[in-house]
Amino acid sequence: MIKSFKIYFFFFLFSFIFSYEALISPIAYSIYHSEGNSYKYDKTYTSIGGWGLLLKYKNKNLTIKSDFYNNRIYNIMDKPNFFNDSQGLSRFKKVDYNSNEIISTFDFDISNLNINYNHNNLDLYLGKFNTHWGYGNSSLTISNKSPSFPKLGFNLKINENINFEYFHGSLKSNILDTAIKDYYVHDIPFGNRSPNLNRFIAAHRLIIEVNPKLNISLNELVIYGVRNLDIHYCLPFLPFWSLQGYLGDLDNIVISMDFNYNLNEQKSIYGSLLIDEIRPSEIFSENNRNWFGYQLGVNFKNIIFNDDNLISELNWTDHRIYRHRFDINNHYNHGYPVGFWGGPHSEEIYLNYSFKKFDFLFNIEYSNAKRGILTDVMLDNQYIDENEQFTRYDDGYEKLSNLEISINKHIYKGVVAKIGINLIDWNNAGFDTSGLNNENLTNIKKESLFFGLSYNYDFEKEESFIHKDSFKYILK
């Protein structure tokens, strides 16, 4: 709560300094799943709810948006399954754990802040908020799978056709810092804490409108850690690949390219190619270390009804991307992938069709995803080029098919209702990607009905917003 008060104080300070409107509005949501959706492996109910505040401020150049909401999930015994595209959780704590260790209720908090200052062709931003790079439903480079992380960056409009973006951020490594762990030990029960080693991310991209039909984005990012913020990666216009060579090849570089091609006003094709551990001098050699992930999709509009939309997408990742010989350089935040939500050694077929009719939003969404093991032996082999005998999924896999059919309806002054069903076919539920604990896997089929109500909260995007009809307190 102390962090949220700091955010609110900062917001109020700006609202009084500048004579422009500031808005405050409540956030609330609740949803019930009759068979737990894909949050857990059994077929009992799960319900989730949350409440908080959303704050917005805007003047000629400065925009501030902040939200904070506390959430509670009922009838679940452990952290929710994360083999889906739902955003991961930074902190997940049992309610009254000290007095009842078998309680099935958990709390988690979400907070975001985005401060944006615009001047001519330059946007400066600072905060902790979600980031998605690419044109698809999923992203191979930077997605919303991991919890939002703090970052400082800018967008620069170079000319009418070229934009440049850069940011530097901090990630949570989940790797114990043994050098200082003794400072976080206390004699009282549950008084100990586990400090982590630093992990940082720096990323930049060049977004080019080649012509009115074709847009491409050239992206590069680096993950590094243990040391403090490295000034080398604070130089936004230099290639990170060259800088990490200058530093002694300590870090992990990923490059990618996104594209979107408009066939016409209603149809477009998009895609992405990601390369990890690129070696330009060995791109075409037999033993190159150019490990790939790719995405290919289409987006069609006005197919049957006006304003309907169809997305079809394929995502595929090699088992050698996102992981590094030095664990500190893995592309993870709070244990969740920074890039594609399925992580390395995975794939997904995704379909979504939506349309509006009679003031209802109808949505049909289908995801068929699969992932395999990720062992230390596989990691060692990839760096000594011993992958000739490797076959995807030969040593086990998890496969999750989820068809969701839903109807959304705005009821009254910002209140939105959502009802529907999830048809789930889950093979090898409980799969451990390390391969160490896969003896008691199970196959599950579910027909999980759900019903939810939300106020200034979007269930699909998992983010807050201020509905035009909702209650707002205005500061002038």
Side-chain angles (χ1 to χ4, degrees), residues 20-38:
Y20 290 85
E21 288 187 351
L23 304 179
I24 304 175
S25 193
I27 305 166
Y29 75 93
S30 179
I31 189 165
Y32 171 88
H33 297 274
S34 66
E35 294 189 0
N37 199 348
S38 62

Side-chain angles (χ1 to χ4, degrees), residues 119-157:
H119 181 69
N120 295 331
N121 294 329
L122 180 65
D123 282 320
L124 301 174
Y125 60 79
L126 166 68
K128 175 182 176 289
F129 53 90
N130 296 327
T131 301
H132 179 104
W133 281 11
Y135 301 100
N137 177 71
S138 296
S139 172
L140 300 186
T141 309
I142 303 174
S143 72
N144 294 332
K145 177 59 182 178
S146 80
S148 62
F149 54 87
K151 60 181 76 69
L152 169 67
F154 65 85
N155 282 286
L156 175 64
K157 185 175 182 179

Side-chain angles (χ1 to χ4, degrees), residues 462-474:
E462 296 183 299
E463 65 183 24
S464 64
F465 70 102
I466 295 182
H467 193 280
K468 61 182 179 63
D469 296 326
S470 66
F471 167 80
K472 309 170 190 68
Y473 182 75
I474 300 175

Side-chain angles (χ1 to χ4, degrees), residues 394-463:
D394 254 15
D395 295 316
Y397 65 88
E398 178 179 19
K399 187 176 181 181
L400 176 59
S401 170
N402 192 340
L403 173 63
E404 178 176 302
I405 303 170
S406 66
I407 303 173
N408 292 264
K409 169 67 174 174
H410 176 236
I411 300 175
Y412 178 74
K413 289 189 178 295
V415 178
V416 176
K418 177 179 179 179
I419 62 171
I421 186 170
N422 290 98
L423 304 175
I424 296 169
D425 189 354
W426 199 344
N427 294 327
N428 297 325
F431 183 75
D432 178 8
T433 56
S434 71
L436 300 177
N437 187 28
N438 285 329
E439 289 80 21
N440 299 312
L441 303 179
T442 182
N443 296 330
I444 302 172
K445 290 189 176 182
K446 296 186 180 186
E447 297 175 357
S448 184
L449 300 170
F450 61 82
F451 171 75
L453 291 172
S454 65
Y455 190 82
N456 288 340
Y457 183 81
D458 189 322
F459 282 118
E460 306 301 328
K461 297 180 180 179
E462 296 183 299
E463 65 183 24

Side-chain angles (χ1 to χ4, degrees), residues 61-93:
N61 300 102
L62 181 67
T63 302
I64 301 175
K65 179 183 177 183
S66 175
D67 61 22
F68 171 83
Y69 44 110
N70 177 260
N71 309 265
R72 182 162 290 188
I73 181 168
Y74 297 89
N75 199 36
I76 192 168
M77 297 304 298
D78 204 349
K79 203 169 188 178
N81 163 59
F82 68 87
F83 186 49
N84 52 53
D85 63 357
S86 296
Q87 187 168 40
L89 306 177
S90 58
R91 192 165 184 261
F92 192 72
K93 184 179 179 181

Side-chain angles (χ1 to χ4, degrees), residues 209-408:
E209 182 181 336
V210 180
N211 57 49
K213 287 182 173 291
L214 177 63
N215 289 272
I216 63 172
S217 176
L218 306 175
N219 320 304
E220 184 186 34
L221 64 86
V222 59
I223 305 285
Y224 69 96
V226 181
R227 58 195 189 272
N228 292 325
L229 189 77
D230 197 315
I231 195 170
H232 294 84
Y233 298 127
C234 294
L235 305 173
F237 302 107
L238 290 179
F240 297 151
W241 181 84
S242 177
L243 289 173
Q244 74 98 24
Y246 176 82
L247 291 169
D249 197 18
L250 300 174
D251 309 318
N252 195 6
I253 302 290
V254 165
I255 67 169
S256 65
M257 182 190 76
D258 305 307
F259 77 89
N260 185 80
Y261 184 77
N262 296 316
L263 300 171
N264 54 46
E265 292 184 356
Q266 286 80 39
K267 298 178 181 179
S268 64
I269 301 172
Y270 63 86
S272 181
L273 176 66
L274 179 141
I275 307 176
D276 198 344
E277 293 280 350
I278 185 171
R279 288 186 175 182
S281 61
E282 299 179 5
I283 286 180
F284 301 107
S285 68
E286 183 176 349
N287 293 320
N288 71 77
R289 289 188 182 173
N290 306 314
W291 307 323
F292 295 91
Y294 63 83
Q295 176 188 87
L296 187 63
V298 295
N299 192 331
F300 293 167
K301 299 178 181 179
N302 302 330
I303 304 169
I304 302 174
F305 307 106
N306 289 333
D307 298 324
D308 69 355
N309 189 60
L310 172 67
I311 297 173
S312 176
E313 182 176 293
L314 170 66
N315 297 289
W316 188 96
T317 60
D318 191 285
H319 67 282
R320 294 167 292 184
I321 67 172
Y322 300 143
R323 299 203 300 164
H324 195 261
R325 71 178 86 195
F326 309 129
D327 289 349
I328 194 62
N329 296 331
N330 287 346
H331 286 232
Y332 285 79
N333 178 37
H334 286 275
Y336 299 95
V338 172
F340 177 56
W341 64 262
H345 197 185
S346 67
E347 59 192 73
E348 179 197 28
I349 296 173
Y350 175 82
L351 296 167
N352 184 286
Y353 178 68
S354 62
F355 62 94
K356 290 183 178 180
K357 208 73 174 173
F358 313 114
D359 292 327
F360 289 87
L361 173 62
F362 297 86
N363 192 70
I364 302 171
E365 184 177 52
Y366 174 74
S367 172
N368 190 325
K370 189 176 182 179
R371 65 174 174 174
I373 63 170
L374 300 166
T375 65
D376 291 338
V377 172
M378 292 166 62
L379 184 63
D380 292 339
N381 286 344
Q382 73 185 55
Y383 282 98
I384 59 175
D385 301 318
E386 291 289 340
N387 284 281
E388 291 80 2
Q389 305 303 318
F390 177 80
T391 303
R392 284 171 71 86
Y393 310 125
D394 254 15
D395 295 316
Y397 65 88
E398 178 179 19
K399 187 176 181 181
L400 176 59
S401 170
N402 192 340
L403 173 63
E404 178 176 302
I405 303 170
S406 66
I407 303 173
N408 292 264

